[in-house]
Amino acid sequence: MMADTGSEEIAVIGNTDLTPSELENNIKNTMVEKGATLLKRMEINVAEAEKRTGKNAVSMQETYTVYLIETRAVDPSSEGANPAPPDSLWRRYSEFELLRNYLLVTYSFVVVPPLPEKRAEFVWHKLSADNMDPDFVERRRVGLENFLLRVASHPVLSNDKIFYSFLTQEQGWKEVVFETGFQAKSDSRLKALNATFRVKNPDKRFAEMKHYGDELQSVISQLLRVRARVADRLYGVYKVHGNYGRVFSEWSAIEREMGDGLQSAGHHMDAYAASVDDILEEEEHYADQLKEYLFYTEALRAVCRKHELCQFELEMAAQDLTSKKQQREELATGTVRTFSLKGMTSKLFGQETPEQREAKIKTLESQIEEGEEMVKDKNAESEEFVKNAWVDIERFREQKDRDLKEALISYAIMQISMCKKGIQVWSNAKECFSKM
Amino acid sequence: MSYAGTPKSLPSSGQKPIQEMCHPLSAEEPVLPSSPDGGSNTKDLSLPNGNTVDTSSPASSSSLLNRLQLDDDLDGETRDLFVTVDDPKKHVSTMETYITYRVSTKTTRTEFDLPEYSVRRRYQDFDWLRNKLEDSQPTHLIPPLPEKFVMKGVVDRFSEEFVETRRKALDKFLKRVADHPVLSFNDHFNAFLSAKDLNKRQGLALLSKMGESVKYVTGGYKLRARPVEFAAMGDYLDVFTQKLGTIDRIAQRIIKEQSVVLLLLLCILSWQSCVLVRGCPSCCSFHTTQLPTPLTFDLHVASLCLQNVLKKRDQVQAEYEAKLEAVAFREDKKTPVPTDVEKCQDRVECFNADLKADWDRWQNNKRQDFRQLLTGMADKNIQYYEKCLAAWESLIPLLQDKQEAKVETN
């Protein structure tokens, strides 16, 4: 599975009574103990997909697909003995989406792994874009399993309770999620992410990272487009070889001595033409790996955006504080530094009484106190966010390099096997020709 | 000058097999089973219908020679004329640039003044020779030349590969002419091999009677029926040329598609280098080894020539039949069969015989040519895949190597 390539980080699941520092320690231990036996290890896989029909929210009949999630706790001491049967439950795609949204909101500093695409895109002509197509469903099943494994191997996400119950609690999981109240946060998050605002002092690293994410997205889109064209053309090349088969066969009918040689060469061509379907099935895997990273760029962008939001809120709070301090100063010293309507009206209509002024100053001072708290909090929040986000972004980058390199290697391997097949077919044909 | 003197019985050429014919140029006295003259005129031969064949004309002598020589062609020991084309050189003049080839001849034939010759010829000269042969020996199948025209922008006329391909084809052309029992004695061929400068404007005097009289005309004649074997030839050639055309089209299509695929793969590699921090080596050793030339050109041309010759033969037969009808019309006048009808019949017989012999020769050559062509095609494809394989295989260790500091992206 993709998520396991090169990474031995499988989380400790289930023990949520630890304090944050102990938790962190545990995670550190997990990461240190790569390859070694872990305390608790869980096998996860999405075993099957099934079609169901049922009534939806508006009481209409609909057909949807459910996926079987199997989990099994692996006890290292019992290795070698027969493994216990796995626990299992069925989930549909929308539940996966719900889980992911929850994670996005709750861990906004994490580049959250993406789900496989909802609708087939970047297809080359032979593949269908139909969601109910068995090949598509199968590839989606693989994608969902990959998602779960990525989350389960993430140092932060894997410890989440909601995630654990997604895997183990069939009934009532949805309610548990909504009870966390994440929905409200989700809505405001969406709003904030889509809003336009200008940050005065953006963190350079995040600005660069956002730019990098945009570039990565554009490059991967290009790659996917080109790959689809390659698949199309290769398919054509193979099938045209089938034409050789037919013409050799027709021609052998009018020849005497050359007939046999031509006929057998023709058969080799036919076999070659037929072999393309399997090859291109396999090649879809490369496209799926690319697509995962295409969707990852959105998650990366979201983290950068969240940082901007934090920064913006911090700047707003600081600005607010400054202006309040200024107002206090003006009231205290009686000097009007900045033009304000209040200032003008008080000049025109007479100044306030000292009591009024005192009251105002008192209000301002409590506001300033609050404001200073706010700025301190926001600052801390922002620093915390930056620290955690940067850790995760580094982790993500290393994972991306590893995975994309692997993807290219397996694409090269596939190309190699295609070349070898080509050599074999033409060597066979050559032998037939030399006997003519 | 020596030929295998044993007369051989040939398959049907005309109505019945001509049996126990003696070679007209043989020094021995032939023993004929029956001859209307009973004389020792070795040049008098009888046709099954009792008429004598005039063997004094070059055409009919040559046709007999042709028929007898068929088996001897394959026997290398009797060959007395060896021709080679090699040593291509570029000539640059103010007007044009072109390539000349060295044509070397070794022979013991008395038709040649010297036993050895070495001359330089260019493609134009070969083309001239071929036209002359076609005009002077219309009943024979002249071997094809390589393509005359090349698209200037697409193919480099002076590239090593192109020149070598052409040289091989020109060599094959001359060898086939040299091996042909009739064509090799052609005066134009002689001049081509021996003359210092080919004076192409001056037509050489010896044109056969046959050559002057048989000209290809589109339509305008009616043929009762092609003899069975020629009909079979015609049918075969139709299907054959069609299949050749299809094979060419398929090959072209595949080459085109593969070059597109290669370009796209290069795109993939260069895009991939953008996403990997350390870059990714792009394999610029990808390139197609296949030339965009039609594979089956020679055979195409030969096939078309054969079809042409078949048509000429039909025309001669039609003339003969027309004359016969004209005579039959006047039958009641009880005049003897006029000699020009006889001459027509003679021409038909000779034509049929020549064509039959050349057909068999061509079938043999065709099989060799095809074996060569198809194995060459297979080789080219194998080379192409091996090159791609090597390129991809070299990529993998570079990607897997964790020690790489900086990899240059092309």
Side-chain angles (χ1 to χ4, degrees):
Chain A
M1 261 275 87
M2 279 188 278
D4 284 342
T5 313
S7 157
E8 244 77 3
E9 299 163 353
I10 302 178
V12 177
I13 295 181
N15 194 347
T16 50
D17 295 338
L18 300 166
T19 61
S21 57
E22 277 171 69
L23 208 64
E24 209 187 359
N25 229 18
N26 251 358
I27 294 167
K28 286 216 179 92
N29 284 342
T30 308
M31 289 172 71
V32 165
E33 284 174 61
K34 275 187 199 174
T37 317
L38 301 167
L39 228 50
K40 211 176 197 176
R41 201 162 59 171
M42 184 184 254
E43 274 176 26
I44 306 173
N45 66 322
V46 177
E48 282 165 44
E50 241 181 50
K51 275 214 191 95
R52 298 270 171 89
T53 41
K55 287 225 157 74
N56 67 3
V58 287
S59 289
M60 289 185 64
Q61 278 283 88
E62 60 165 4
T63 316
Y64 56 89
T65 315
V66 285
Y67 302 87
L68 184 68
I69 303 180
E70 287 182 350
T71 51
R72 171 169 41 217
V74 176
D75 182 5
S77 64
S78 72
E79 263 177 45
N82 282 335
D87 299 317
S88 61
L89 45 77
W90 295 93
R91 293 261 184 241
R92 40 184 307 192
Y93 189 86
S94 55
E95 291 174 277
F96 280 85
E97 281 184 313
L98 185 59
L99 171 66
R100 186 162 188 271
N101 282 338
Y102 163 79
L103 291 172
L104 279 170
V105 168
T106 318
Y107 303 93
S108 56
F109 57 93
V110 169
V111 182
V112 178
L115 286 171
E117 54 191 354
K118 200 156 195 186
R119 266 165 290 277
E121 276 175 53
F122 294 109
V123 286
W124 57 284
H125 82 280
K126 205 218 162 200
L127 290 190
S128 87
D130 175 22
N131 282 2
M132 285 296 160
D133 183 77
D135 284 333
F136 180 75
V137 168
E138 169 59 17
R139 286 189 11 251
R140 201 197 245 190
R141 180 195 68 74
V142 170
L144 290 173
E145 183 177 283
N146 190 56
F147 167 75
L148 292 178
L149 291 174
R150 287 236 194 250
V151 175
S153 60
H154 191 280
V156 173
L157 299 177
S158 56
N159 296 305
D160 187 88
K161 276 188 286 193
I162 301 288
F163 176 58
Y164 186 72
S165 43
F166 178 86
L167 296 172
T168 51
Q169 182 186 346
E170 179 138 33
Q171 301 302 331
W173 173 78
K174 267 195 183 163
E175 285 71 22
V176 175
V177 182
F178 288 125
E179 263 167 39
T180 62
F182 94 97
Q183 195 66 51
K185 276 203 232 168
S186 171
D187 294 336
S188 72
R189 171 183 173 268
L190 269 175
K191 222 166 85 181
L193 286 179
N194 289 331
T196 40
F197 48 83
R198 245 191 80 236
V199 176
K200 287 201 190 121
N201 292 316
D203 185 325
K204 256 207 191 117
R205 292 180 299 171
F206 281 92
E208 269 168 25
M209 191 46 48
K210 188 158 93 141
H211 185 64
Y212 173 78
D214 289 339
E215 270 194 10
L216 187 65
Q217 180 183 36
S218 122
V219 168
I220 293 185
S221 307
Q222 289 285 47
L223 265 174
L224 281 167
R225 259 190 286 273
V226 176
R227 182 219 76 92
R229 286 173 65 190
V230 169
D232 244 331
R233 292 287 176 156
L234 276 175
Y235 186 76
V237 167
Y238 273 74
K239 288 306 174 189
V240 170
H241 277 81
N243 293 351
Y244 268 143
R246 197 181 56 235
V247 83
F248 283 157
S249 170
E250 287 167 7
W251 181 17
S252 71
I254 60 168
E255 294 290 344
R256 285 196 318 240
E257 304 107 348
M258 284 172 36
D260 287 337
L262 285 173
Q263 183 87 311
S264 13
H267 288 151
H268 287 299
M269 293 294 135
D270 286 334
Y272 185 67
S275 69
V276 72
D277 298 297
D278 289 336
I279 292 173
L280 290 178
E281 273 296 316
E282 218 179 284
E283 201 252 8
E284 275 311 305
H285 188 55
Y286 176 69
D288 287 339
Q289 288 173 301
L290 286 178
K291 278 183 203 169
E292 194 199 13
Y293 276 92
L294 185 68
F295 304 143
Y296 250 125
T297 57
E298 277 184 49
L300 183 65
R301 222 200 325 269
V303 171
C304 295
R305 203 77 171 121
K306 172 72 181 167
H307 158 75
E308 275 184 356
L309 191 62
C310 268
Q311 184 72 6
F312 180 70
E313 283 174 1
L314 173 63
E315 282 175 6
M316 285 290 104
Q319 203 180 333
D320 191 53
L321 182 65
T322 315
S323 88
K324 291 218 155 57
K325 279 187 175 166
Q326 215 168 20
Q327 278 178 37
R328 181 187 61 184
E329 200 192 311
E330 283 166 16
L331 279 179
T333 58
T335 50
V336 180
R337 288 245 186 104
T338 53
F339 176 83
S340 71
L341 195 59
K342 243 190 169 154
M344 280 310 293
T345 46
S346 63
K347 263 212 151 146
L348 289 169
F349 298 109
Q351 298 218 349
E352 316 144 300
T353 63
E355 290 83 20
Q356 283 176 317
R357 209 186 316 156
E358 277 306 312
K360 273 213 184 102
I361 291 175
K362 271 231 167 58
T363 329
L364 269 175
E365 290 206 328
S366 66
Q367 280 180 341
I368 286 169
E369 234 180 271
E370 275 172 26
E372 273 173 346
E373 269 307 307
M374 172 93 104
V375 169
K376 210 164 81 183
D377 284 343
K378 286 282 174 202
N379 228 346
E381 196 184 302
S382 183
E383 270 175 27
E384 180 77 11
F385 180 87
V386 167
K387 190 178 78 181
N388 290 331
W390 207 252
V391 166
D392 202 58
I393 284 175
E394 285 296 330
R395 180 203 61 83
F396 168 73
R397 282 177 79 157
E398 276 179 34
Q399 176 197 292
K400 178 216 76 176
D401 274 349
R402 243 185 351 251
D403 288 348
L404 289 182
K405 208 181 256 196
E406 281 301 320
L408 183 60
I409 290 176
S410 46
Y411 190 73
I413 289 175
M414 185 207 74
Q415 290 288 337
I416 285 170
S417 88
M418 285 177 82
C419 289
K420 286 192 174 154
K421 231 199 185 101
I423 292 174
Q424 187 190 45
V425 153
W426 281 103
S427 304
N428 290 341
K430 183 175 170 182
E431 229 190 275
C432 296
F433 294 145
S434 62
K435 292 197 194 131
M436 278 195 332
Chain B
M1 206 162 45
S2 68
Y3 302 89
T6 329
K8 289 183 174 112
S9 124
L10 296 167
S12 86
S13 53
Q15 290 94 356
K16 280 184 196 166
I18 302 168
Q19 283 160 348
E20 285 170 311
M21 236 170 33
C22 191
H23 197 289
L25 297 171
S26 141
E28 297 161 333
E29 289 268 277
V31 176
L32 291 173
S34 59
S35 158
D37 295 341
S40 55
N41 184 356
T42 56
K43 290 197 175 155
D44 279 342
L45 297 164
S46 20
L47 285 175
N49 63 8
N51 297 320
T52 52
V53 177
D54 177 17
T55 55
S56 54
S57 76
S60 40
S61 306
S62 71
S63 84
L64 292 172
L65 186 64
N66 190 18
R67 280 170 269 164
L68 289 172
Q69 278 289 285
L70 178 61
D71 291 337
D72 294 339
D73 285 341
L74 311 175
D75 183 6
E77 287 161 23
T78 58
R79 221 185 272 154
D80 58 355
L81 173 65
F82 298 90
V83 185
T84 318
V85 177
D86 61 5
D87 191 35
K89 274 196 164 57
K90 202 193 260 195
H91 276 249
V92 183
S93 71
T94 43
M95 295 292 284
E96 52 177 348
T97 308
Y98 56 89
I99 306 261
T100 62
Y101 305 84
R102 179 177 62 187
V103 177
S104 322
T105 310
K106 284 197 173 70
T107 181
T108 54
R109 289 189 188 178
T110 53
E111 282 82 3
F112 290 89
D113 296 331
L114 300 171
E116 275 188 41
Y117 290 97
S118 179
V119 295
R120 294 226 72 117
R121 298 281 181 248
R122 54 185 291 194
Y123 183 92
Q124 269 182 20
D125 303 330
F126 286 82
D127 197 34
W128 169 88
L129 172 63
R130 190 173 191 282
N131 289 333
K132 285 290 177 212
L133 287 174
E134 263 196 335
D135 287 341
S136 57
Q137 310 278 11
T139 64
H140 288 291
L141 177 65
I142 318 294
L145 275 178
E147 264 195 274
K148 188 175 199 169
F149 298 109
V150 284
M151 289 178 59
K152 282 226 169 111
V154 177
V155 181
D156 178 12
R157 294 181 294 141
F158 302 109
S159 75
E160 244 182 73
E161 208 168 345
F162 178 79
V163 170
E164 177 56 16
T165 310
R166 214 179 222 200
R167 183 203 68 75
K168 279 196 201 139
L170 294 173
D171 184 73
K172 195 187 324 190
F173 168 73
L174 283 187
K175 283 188 160 74
R176 294 247 164 106
V177 175
D179 287 346
H180 195 285
V182 177
L183 297 179
S184 59
F185 287 95
N186 185 283
D187 291 316
H188 302 280
F189 184 54
N190 190 314
F192 180 89
L193 294 177
S194 55
K196 261 290 168 250
D197 295 304
L198 271 184
N199 193 343
K200 294 183 272 196
R201 249 151 282 148
Q202 205 180 71
L204 291 177
L206 295 164
L207 286 175
S208 71
K209 285 194 236 171
M210 203 65 122
E212 283 170 334
S213 57
V214 178
K215 282 205 170 62
Y216 180 56
V217 168
T218 49
Y221 64 89
K222 255 204 246 169
L223 180 66
R224 203 166 291 154
R226 257 187 194 164
V228 166
E229 62 203 321
F230 296 115
M233 263 188 221
D235 291 339
Y236 171 87
L237 285 173
D238 285 338
V239 180
F240 180 73
T241 5
Q242 191 196 54
K243 296 307 162 202
L244 287 187
T246 311
I247 290 178
D248 264 345
R249 275 193 300 280
I250 294 175
Q252 297 286 35
R253 173 98 185 267
I254 290 181
I255 291 172
K256 198 176 90 168
E257 296 283 320
Q258 277 172 337
S259 41
V260 173
V261 168
L262 281 177
L263 284 174
L264 292 174
L265 287 175
L266 276 173
C267 270
I268 285 190
L269 288 171
S270 57
W271 282 118
Q272 279 271 178
S273 72
C274 296
V275 305
L276 295 178
V277 169
R278 289 216 189 106
C280 136
S282 71
C283 298
C284 284
S285 52
F286 280 121
H287 69 270
T288 180
T289 58
Q290 294 161 309
L291 282 175
T293 49
L295 297 166
T296 54
F297 177 75
D298 285 357
L299 287 147
H300 247 129
V301 169
S303 175
L304 292 171
C305 287
L306 258 177
Q307 285 179 323
N308 238 23
V309 174
L310 256 182
K311 283 183 186 146
K312 284 191 215 165
R313 188 219 72 88
D314 288 347
Q315 193 188 358
V316 170
Q317 183 176 330
E319 264 186 65
Y320 167 60
E321 284 171 2
K323 288 232 162 94
L324 265 186
E325 267 188 54
V327 167
F329 217 57
R330 298 204 305 266
E331 197 78 87
D332 51 311
K333 297 217 175 134
K334 290 211 173 111
T335 48
V337 178
T339 37
D340 63 331
V341 175
E342 258 185 25
K343 285 226 167 93
C344 244
Q345 184 186 32
D346 177 29
R347 266 158 53 189
V348 172
E349 303 278 343
C350 289
F351 213 128
N352 290 348
D354 286 345
L355 185 53
K356 191 67 190 37
D358 277 356
W359 170 264
D360 291 335
R361 190 176 290 112
W362 180 76
Q363 283 285 352
N364 236 335
N365 288 337
K366 176 202 78 178
R367 189 155 65 94
Q368 281 177 35
D369 283 350
F370 256 120
R371 193 183 3 217
Q372 208 179 44
L373 184 131
L374 289 171
T375 44
M377 185 166 94
D379 275 331
K380 277 218 163 112
N381 275 287
I382 290 173
Q383 268 173 45
Y384 166 79
Y385 286 114
E386 279 177 345
K387 262 209 162 122
C388 287
L389 179 68
W392 283 111
E393 279 182 334
S394 69
L395 180 63
I396 291 188
L398 290 173
L399 284 175
Q400 284 174 334
D401 181 17
K402 294 197 172 109
Q403 303 308 320
E404 56 179 338
K406 241 178 205 163
V407 180
E408 274 181 276
T409 53
N410 282 13

